[in-house]
Amino acid sequence: MPISAQGASRASQRVTIRDPGTLHPIHFENEVVPILTKHSCNSGGCHGKAEGQNGFKLSLLGFDAPLDYEAIVNESRGRRIFPAFPEHSLFLRKPSGQVPHGGGLRIKSSSDDYRKLLRWVRTGVPLGDPAEAKVVRIEVYPKGSILERRGRQQLAITAFYSNQKTEDVTRLTQFDSNDKELAEVNEEGVVTASDLSGETSVMVRYQGQVDVYRGTIPLRAPIARWPDFAHRNFIDGPIEEKLRLLGVPPSELSTDGEFLRRAWLDICGTLPPLEEVRRFLSDPEPEKRDRLIDRLLDRPEYASFFALKWGDILRNRRQGQEGRMRGTFAFHAWIRDSLVENKPFDRFAREILTACGELRLNPPVAWYREVVSPTVRADDVAQVFLGTRIQCAQCPHHPFEKWSQTDYYGMVAFFTRVGQKTPQGLGAEPVVFTRRDGEARHPRTGELVPPRPLDGPVARSRPDEDPRVHLARWLTSPGNPFFSRALVNRMWAHFLNRGLVEPLDDMRATNPPSHPELLDELARDFEASGFNLKHLIRTICRSRTYQLSSLPNEYNRKDRNTFSRYPVKRLQAEVLQDAIHHFTGAPLSFGGLPPSTRSIDLPDESFSSTFLELFGKPKRVSSCECERVSEASLGQSLHLLNSSEVMEKIAVKGGRVEALAADPRPEAERVRDLYLAAFAREPASDETSVALAYLNGEGRDKRQAWEDLVWALINTKEFQFNH
């Protein structure tokens, strides 16, 4: 916001009293704003939030210095500045705690920062020359270093100005550790490592510019023997290189049973059938794991399971309205058919972004029915297909990235001409079309903002052209710095439970990947494959990294982000519900759907149940995968232990228990089959002994004993987790 003529006049009429110790006039944007930012006065939790605080509003993190000057000097009749007695200015007395202040003591009156602010008021609150050099970048030193556990590293920050001047701004820089469990950083820029090993990063921010320090904390433990880590593809080299740098040896290779169950659950969301377990475990072929991955990718469960995933991400949501059911069913079927076809992912994305017409003929228009405003569409496209969260740039600048409001509304402008109309008639669905008019305006300046993708060229289009076509073409073009990296990171997180960038949809310069070279190579390979999703999954699952055991060794027990072992992860709600039905042999039914429908086949969020809600099935109100709850809870444990729903499934007529009780084979063989069905492994000798002792307990009803055994296995962590 420009300074008003009246405000500028008032500022120019102030008497400037030179402080003898002042060598130059203080520049408001270059010297005052950094102090306010350092002490969080303009943070989102204080005066920088959208509505301000107690009638005083500053721009978030000082991104609009003229607006801040107006608020401090001229707003409310200039009551915050007292030129006659500068020390009595509310601008100084409140943050220094001399009068009550909701934010508490922020700046000590004995500090250099307070003295500079006082000098600024004494010298007539100069705005400073608009032509004064501005900060164009900052640089942290060192960029990275080896930190000993419990060790410390001082960071130094240099600001580079537009006139080639440099300045040490460490004292006024903000520091933020991306992983406080690994390392913390204080306000002076001293990084202190924890007792864990791993890699961490620290974001540094000054005057809207950011840089990143990366610290490596090796384990430094004596290792008698580095485990065999035979590389199976290009993934394994960067993983092992990082593990050797950290001194964290990987776990051993998983057993065939572990890998079989893991791959079925990760690729198909389904427990492997008993006959498949027997066949795989007895197969001597050394390439059987690769062949299993290929078979799973061709199974119908693969398409169903990943259609469920993309239904969550793309918000295929009915909102309880039966009139919307046809749309959610059609969109789900389109997603599933795309996966069956193995449609190239660039085409999948383009067909969603440019969808027009009626839902019956073009199901992807269902996305526009749920994601209704241009701003939300821009947010979701960035988060889903670019792997970045640009919402924070809406007002007024992204605090951790370079994106400005202009960048944000450049993305919004691609969707301002998208219109919807609903024909008359019962059950009529909206028709999506492109209007000839519709524009995005900068909320602060009121100027028109043309369609422009992030770091891309302005999209020039005629009134009869759809600007979304330009966005889709840019998005899926070879070498796009966002699209492929976002997708491979998302798929890596699906299989390894953590992205190479984490959170998986928050890719930015200040949140660097754990393995940058690997992320880039995966993206290049994905593009070279023609954006082939099955190729990407095959590449990840064939790696030794994916096939490591989940059992930790003495060195990697605390490792969280270097993939030294397979991460144990809780089965998601639909997968666990299907697993219980598969294991017990109980039928599963959903009203209005075919009898063969599984939980992973559900088209929208309306088909829910107490079980699915309890175990974290999302409502699909956002595109963030974090909406799906994966944490364990007491309620989940109590439900599996005590609910009549689970008990009825175990005792169901015609189910597994009835078959086990009637089976004439020796009980040890039946116990063996039970473990193979649940865990894809044979029981250990002590597990067999305990089971047989329980089954043959004096006076015990055999059928009830089999029910108890099935109940006990369902309630193990080994059943409820993928490992």
Side-chain angles (χ1 to χ4, degrees), residues 409-448:
Y409 282 95
M411 287 291 291
V412 171
F414 284 107
F415 301 100
T416 52
R417 287 170 52 192
V418 177
Q420 289 190 52
K421 59 183 178 182
T422 303
Q424 293 183 348
L426 184 64
E429 291 283 356
V431 175
V432 175
F433 64 98
T434 305
R435 298 192 298 256
R436 293 181 64 87
D437 60 344
E439 54 198 20
R441 289 189 177 273
H442 197 290
R444 186 166 58 84
T445 67
E447 296 177 354
L448 289 177

Side-chain angles (χ1 to χ4, degrees), residues 369-397:
R369 182 182 66 175
E370 178 61 30
V371 186
V372 293
S373 72
T375 54
V376 177
R377 289 166 185 162
D379 294 344
D380 274 28
V381 166
Q383 194 162 348
V384 173
F385 296 118
L386 303 179
T388 186
R389 302 175 182 180
I390 64 170
Q391 298 95 316
C392 294
Q394 185 174 359
C395 180
H397 194 293

